Amino acid sequence: MKIYIMTDLEGIAGVRRDTECIPDRPEFAQACRYLEKEVNAAIAGAFDGGAKEVLVCDSHHGGFNFNFANLDPRARLCENNGILKLMAEIDSTFDGYFNIGHHAKAGTMHAFLEHTQCSSTFDYTINGVSYGEIGQQLLLAGDYGVPQLMISGDRKACEESESIYPGSLSVIVKEAYARNKVNCMHPDQAALLIRETCKQSMKLIGKLKPFKIKGPYDIRLTFTNTNYADKIVCSKPFLERLDGRTVRYITDDIKNILVPF
């Protein structure tokens, strides 16, 4: 069995402030150590559950968050290619994926550092349904027939996943009471729960169907202010502008849902 692990930083236990997620801040290094702890727990859980191969996608801020020497040597590592390739190297050979350290979509109340791609995004919809990065990843993996087996992050991220794709397992490692205020589980306890949950989630292989929706895909991106829409339409004139803050794009290929943005 072959497992893909998608990673982010905002939903990692021990990460409690926005500054911890910014690469040039001194506190970022410690946040990355917490990330490594949870990812190594997920890798161990995958192998405990029978995996023969694991690929980790280092996704936060385009990658380079891991000290490679600290990663479980049984796993391989890749970085994503920004928004153009959100889940780098995933393909139909994988039996499932884990989503470690994730956050809720932009605008979610009581969600830690909620956002969709970046701070300029107010909402992102496909065929009238609002999706954050969790939903985008479900669709991109689903196009290859790969189901999400488990997710970890704050409570709202896990609830968002369950609302879109019920059945996969979740580990809630913290609960926000403001965007930058959080009640957080100890990283060691989070790692224990993640390892066991990943192991148990391996039993879902062959039982969970990949997440798919029918095309064509009408994608609408609403920005927080008109300036962002001005800039993207100038650089990508093929986008249709619907109003001051919203642009539209239609594609028949789910792999292209993020390309224009």
Side-chain angles (χ1 to χ4, degrees):
M1 292 186 285
K2 189 175 177 181
I3 296 296
Y4 188 95
I5 300 180
M6 187 69 176
T7 71
D8 213 338
L9 191 57
E10 290 86 357
I12 296 294
V15 177
R16 295 164 291 163
R17 293 289 185 273
D18 55 356
T19 54
E20 294 177 87
C21 299
I22 302 172
D24 61 356
R25 297 298 291 264
E27 52 267 54
F28 176 73
Q30 181 58 62
C32 289
R33 304 297 80 78
Y34 294 145
L35 169 66
E36 291 164 359
K37 182 185 288 288
E38 290 194 14
V39 171
N40 279 335
I43 294 168
F47 282 107
D48 291 345
K52 302 301 182 186
E53 186 176 345
V54 173
L55 175 64
V56 177
C57 181
D58 182 7
S59 181
H60 178 73
H61 212 271
F64 297 97
N65 302 291
F66 294 108
N67 180 335
F68 204 178
N70 294 340
L71 195 70
D72 187 319
R74 294 175 293 179
R76 294 181 296 116
L77 179 67
C78 69
E79 283 86 25
N80 71 14
N81 188 24
I83 199 168
L84 297 182
K85 186 65 173 173
L86 184 60
M87 302 184 79
E89 303 302 313
I90 196 166
D91 58 33
S92 59
T93 65
F94 289 91
D95 296 288
Y97 78 97
F98 304 156
N99 200 344
I100 301 297
H102 222 77
H103 56 81
K105 66 182 180 180
T108 303
M109 185 176 177
H110 293 158
F112 185 67
L113 300 181
E114 45 71 40
H115 65 279
T116 302
Q117 266 78 48
C118 60
S119 59
S120 65
T121 305
F122 178 77
D123 196 18
Y124 167 96
T125 67
I126 304 177
N127 296 346
V129 177
S130 179
Y131 291 99
E133 294 170 40
I134 294 169
Q136 294 167 7
Q137 291 163 18
L138 281 164
L139 286 165
L140 292 168
D143 189 55
Y144 291 104
V146 183
Q148 177 186 276
L149 302 178
M150 69 81 64
I151 183 170
S152 70
D154 79 337
R155 177 174 292 279
K156 292 298 182 176
C158 293
E159 289 177 354
E160 182 179 320
S161 175
E162 180 67 17
S163 70
I164 304 169
Y165 188 67
S168 65
L169 304 185
S170 63
V171 178
I172 299 169
V173 303
K174 54 190 175 185
E175 298 188 43
Y177 51 97
R179 189 176 189 272
N180 205 24
K181 300 290 183 181
V182 67
N183 176 341
C184 195
M185 182 182 293
H186 191 281
D188 289 345
Q189 181 64 20
L192 288 172
L193 288 174
I194 287 169
R195 179 170 183 169
E196 181 59 27
T197 303
C198 287
K199 176 183 176 181
Q200 294 303 319
S201 76
M202 296 290 287
K203 298 176 183 178
L204 297 174
I205 293 174
K207 298 178 182 178
L208 287 177
K209 293 182 179 180
F211 183 64
K212 296 176 181 283
I213 59 175
K214 292 182 178 180
Y217 308 104
D218 183 328
I219 299 141
R220 304 186 185 204
L221 182 63
T222 301
F223 296 99
T224 54
N225 63 57
T226 58
N227 186 48
Y228 294 116
D230 292 341
K231 290 180 178 178
I232 197 168
V233 169
C234 286
S235 63
K236 297 178 174 64
F238 58 86
L239 294 174
E240 178 185 2
R241 189 161 185 177
L242 300 181
D243 58 37
R245 295 189 298 142
T246 304
V247 297
R248 181 189 189 204
Y249 173 76
I250 298 175
T251 180
D252 291 319
D253 188 348
I254 202 72
K255 296 182 186 67
N256 293 333
I257 58 173
L258 299 173
V259 169
F261 311 125

